Amino acid sequence: QVQLQESGPGLVKPSETLSLTCTVSGGSITSYYWSWIRQPPGKGLEWIGYIYYSTTTNYNPSLKSRVTISLDTSKNQLSLNLTSVTAADTAVYYCARSRNYLDWFGPWGQGTLVTVSS
Amino acid sequence: DIQMTQSPSTLSASIGDRVTITCRASQSISSWLAWYQQKPGTAPKVLVYKASTLQSGVPSRFSGSRSGTEFTLTISSLQPDDFATYYCQQYNSYSPTFGPGTKVD
């Protein structure tokens, strides 16, 4: 059974770059679509973007200028970089799998809280 | 972007109640809609996809339906484990979007 686990710094300074990693176990990362989704404290869910086969990416238009998602197939990991962060980027960040580019998400990682503060 | 709305935002219910949550899309999404359950401190878990298909392992008291751009999640008899927040998500467009959530307490 595939499992996902997010990791990365819990605190990032304003204007800096948020970098997270999601390690996938129990299955290959070279299949399926892999997304990042975030949830500000006490608020709803926002899809950030997905990657497929290291070559195909699609980002939320509202974040596209600041987001990069990549795959490291040798480590079975996906990564998220979000530049020029502000307090509005404070959220729990989840990685999740989908079977297609237009699909529901599952399974999800447990999520990791990232706080943007000086 | 396709906008998703949910009603109500909060729902007070008791064990054994029939609970109905509504989600509306700002444009046609066919049946490309999923429902998730989220409990505090945990990731969302899919309950229903393609508007009415129950995910494997989800209790049969959960069901989903569609009428045009209006979607409904029904819990036929609320159980203690069902107190949570429920989200809908459309996946008809290249930018999937979620509803704002309905908290069942």
Side-chain angles (χ1 to χ4, degrees):
Chain A
Q1 183 176 348
V2 64
Q3 293 186 316
L4 293 75
Q5 177 71 58
E6 303 89 349
S7 60
L11 181 65
V12 180
K13 289 182 168 56
S15 81
E16 295 189 343
T17 296
L18 180 160
S19 296
L20 296 175
T21 297
C22 173
T23 301
V24 178
S25 59
S28 174
I29 204 169
T30 56
S31 301
Y32 300 105
Y33 289 73
W34 303 92
S35 285
W36 286 96
I37 297 162
R38 70 181 183 179
Q39 184 173 37
K43 297 188 178 180
L45 298 156
E46 180 181 38
W47 173 77
I48 298 170
Y50 72 64
I51 188 166
Y52 177 69
Y53 259 129
S54 294
T55 57
T56 301
T57 55
N58 183 33
Y59 302 129
N60 188 321
S62 69
L63 298 169
K64 188 174 183 176
S65 63
R66 300 193 292 131
V67 173
T68 302
I69 297 175
S70 59
L71 284 184
D72 185 337
T73 55
S74 66
K75 296 181 179 179
N76 233 36
Q77 293 178 334
L78 66 153
S79 297
L80 169 70
N81 276 356
L82 181 66
T83 62
S84 305
V85 297
T86 70
D89 295 310
T90 294
V92 174
Y93 285 77
Y94 297 100
C95 54
R97 186 187 78 174
S98 57
R99 293 179 183 272
N100 211 332
Y101 62 95
L102 295 177
D103 211 343
W104 49 276
F105 301 106
W108 298 53
Q110 66 182 31
T112 187
L113 174 63
V114 179
T115 301
V116 178
S117 175
S118 55
Chain B
D1 276 9
I2 298 175
Q3 308 300 319
M4 307 300 293
T5 59
Q6 285 183 237
S7 60
S9 56
T10 305
L11 190 159
S12 293
S14 301
I15 302 300
D17 284 354
R18 182 179 182 88
V19 168
T20 299
I21 299 168
T22 299
C23 174
R24 289 184 179 85
S26 60
Q27 63 189 73
S28 175
I29 58 169
S30 186
S31 293
W32 305 120
L33 184 110
W35 288 98
Y36 298 85
Q37 177 193 66
Q38 186 179 34
K39 297 180 181 179
T42 69
K45 179 185 81 167
V46 69
L47 301 173
V48 171
Y49 60 92
K50 207 174 179 182
S52 60
T53 302
L54 203 64
Q55 170 69 335
S56 175
V58 174
S60 59
R61 62 181 180 272
F62 291 93
S63 64
S65 63
R66 171 201 171 195
S67 177
T69 58
E70 182 174 299
F71 300 81
T72 300
L73 176 71
T74 300
I75 309 172
S76 60
S77 177
L78 193 69
Q79 298 302 302
D81 192 46
D82 301 338
F83 290 96
T85 300
Y86 294 85
Y87 293 94
C88 61
Q89 176 233 329
Q90 66 80 17
Y91 50 100
N92 184 72
S93 76
Y94 287 102
S95 189
T97 49
F98 294 85
T102 295
K103 184 177 182 179
V104 177
D105 62 17

